[in-house]
Amino acid sequence: MTFTPKTPAFEKAVKDSRNLKAKPDNDELLQLYSLFKQGSQDPPFAEAPKPGMFDLTGKAKYNAWQKVVDEGLTYQQAQEKYVKLVNSLKEKYGFDG
């Protein structure tokens, strides 16, 4: 497995995302998930197991990540977008930190 470097801004955004005052909506959560997975590459998408037929939440997450992969986002671009998304969510929902 290849090590994917994480920027300090990305690591801070990951921590900050856990301290929002309110839970983001499902679409925002899927965006966070897909950008996080692409940004961290743990595991890389090609090695990630597909969710089972009855795992609707897993399928939604997998499909959101697939969309990011299909857009051709590199892990660096995904980390940048993740940081921007978390910052916008901190403004929208408030932040305890």
Side-chain angles (χ1 to χ4, degrees), residues 9-97:
F10 180 71
E11 290 182 344
K12 181 180 184 312
V14 170
K15 290 178 186 169
D16 290 353
S17 71
R18 296 182 183 123
N19 293 314
L20 297 171
K21 288 186 177 183
K23 183 179 177 183
D25 67 33
N26 285 339
D27 288 338
E28 292 163 336
L29 289 171
L30 285 173
Q31 271 188 292
L32 282 170
Y33 176 83
S34 62
L35 291 172
F36 172 80
K37 292 297 279 184
Q38 185 66 6
S40 63
Q41 291 289 302
D42 186 23
F45 185 78
E47 297 173 17
K50 283 189 105 172
M53 183 169 45
F54 298 107
D55 182 3
L56 300 180
T57 301
K59 281 178 142 178
K61 289 178 173 183
Y62 186 88
N63 290 339
W65 189 9
Q66 174 76 59
K67 183 179 172 190
V68 170
V69 169
D70 290 347
E71 289 172 4
L73 247 59
T74 65
Y75 76 86
Q76 298 99 329
Q77 292 168 322
Q79 288 183 19
E80 290 171 15
K81 287 184 93 164
Y82 185 90
V83 170
K84 289 177 184 173
L85 177 58
V86 169
N87 286 336
S88 71
L89 294 175
K90 285 165 60 175
E91 289 180 23
K92 181 176 181 180
Y93 294 108
F95 173 68
D96 285 328

